[in-house]
């Protein structure tokens, strides 16, 4: 047992990105990773457990964003401006303790399905309240850090 008491928690961090940064953020967040991330906090052996759900059946958040930009051009007759806040990212974070509790109660597969469904409800609520179009949800179960030889996930 760690000398520090672990707490179960959930939090949300949000950030806006201009076009030049938006695609690199979406590239990193893609659930399938395909070996392209160089992040030190990713355990590639666990990447197969990630889940991605993208708007209108697109294969990635970047593809969905491209289509949203194309629709914007169709409606306005203009491309998005370079200084336009193109991506409004919401990162929902659960402590490993919180997620393990869900996994123990429902099992691995059901826990992932439940969490993705709740994240989808969250995205729909954000759209209702603020008008932001959801383009995708990526659940990462491969990120974390090593503590005393054990990989502690950062869900």
């Amino acid at each position: 047992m760690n000398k520090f008491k672990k707490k179960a928690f959930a939090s949300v961090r949000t950030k806006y990105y201009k076009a030049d940064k938006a695609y690199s953020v979406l590239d990193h967040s893609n659930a399938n990773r395909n070996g392209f991330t160089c992040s030190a906090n990713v355990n590639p052996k666990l990447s197969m457990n990630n889940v991605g759900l993208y708007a209108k059946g697109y294969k990635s958040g970047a593809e969905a964003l491209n289509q949203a930009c194309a629709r914007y051009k169709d409606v306005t007759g203009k491309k998005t401006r370079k200084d336009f806040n193109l991506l409004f990212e919401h990162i929902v974070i659960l402590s490993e303790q919180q997620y393990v509790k869900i996994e123990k109660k429902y099992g691995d597969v059901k826990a992932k399905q439940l969490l993705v469904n709740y994240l989808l409800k969250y995205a729909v609520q954000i759209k209702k309240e603020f008008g932001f179009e959801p383009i995708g949800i990526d659940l990462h179960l491969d990120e974390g850090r090593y503590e005393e030889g054990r990989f502690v996930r950062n869900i």
Side-chain angles (χ1 to χ4, degrees):
M1 180 79 178
N2 266 347
K3 53 187 164 194
F4 302 104
K5 185 173 178 168
K6 302 282 182 181
K7 291 186 178 182
F9 68 87
S11 65
V12 178
R13 186 179 73 218
T14 61
K15 190 170 183 180
Y16 289 98
Y17 295 96
K18 308 284 187 217
D20 60 339
K21 297 283 185 198
Y23 287 98
S24 63
V25 166
L26 290 172
D27 191 45
H28 168 77
S29 69
N30 187 314
N32 296 324
R33 298 224 193 264
N34 300 322
F36 58 72
T37 187
C38 296
S39 178
N41 69 337
V42 171
N43 183 335
K45 294 175 187 165
L46 300 175
S47 294
M48 66 184 189
N49 297 322
N50 294 348
V51 178
L53 176 66
Y54 308 106
K56 297 178 174 68
Y58 296 119
K59 294 181 177 128
S60 70
E63 186 180 327
L65 183 58
N66 280 335
Q67 289 304 311
C69 289
R71 285 192 314 272
Y72 178 88
K73 186 175 181 181
D74 288 345
V75 170
T76 65
K78 301 174 187 176
K79 290 197 287 187
T80 57
R81 295 175 13 187
K82 293 205 183 271
D83 64 344
F84 189 71
N85 286 322
L86 194 60
L87 180 66
F88 185 32
E89 178 186 49
H90 291 232
I91 299 176
V92 178
I93 305 162
L94 297 178
S95 63
E96 184 175 36
Q97 183 180 356
Q98 186 71 22
Y99 193 71
V100 165
K101 202 167 147 184
I102 297 166
E103 283 178 317
K104 284 181 180 176
K105 185 171 183 178
Y106 297 105
D108 296 350
V109 173
K110 182 83 172 172
K112 282 194 279 191
Q113 289 172 338
L114 284 169
L115 188 51
V116 168
N117 287 339
Y118 280 113
L119 291 171
L120 183 57
K121 285 180 182 183
Y122 173 78
V124 168
Q125 189 62 35
I126 293 295
K127 180 178 180 175
K128 266 188 201 176
E129 287 187 43
F130 304 105
F132 294 105
E133 185 68 37
I135 61 169
I137 295 169
D138 291 293
L139 174 60
H140 293 178
L141 299 174
D142 63 348
E143 293 183 7
R145 67 196 174 288
Y146 283 92
E147 281 183 9
E148 299 170 7
R150 182 178 153 295
F151 190 71
V152 178
R153 296 175 298 174
N154 180 23
I155 310 296

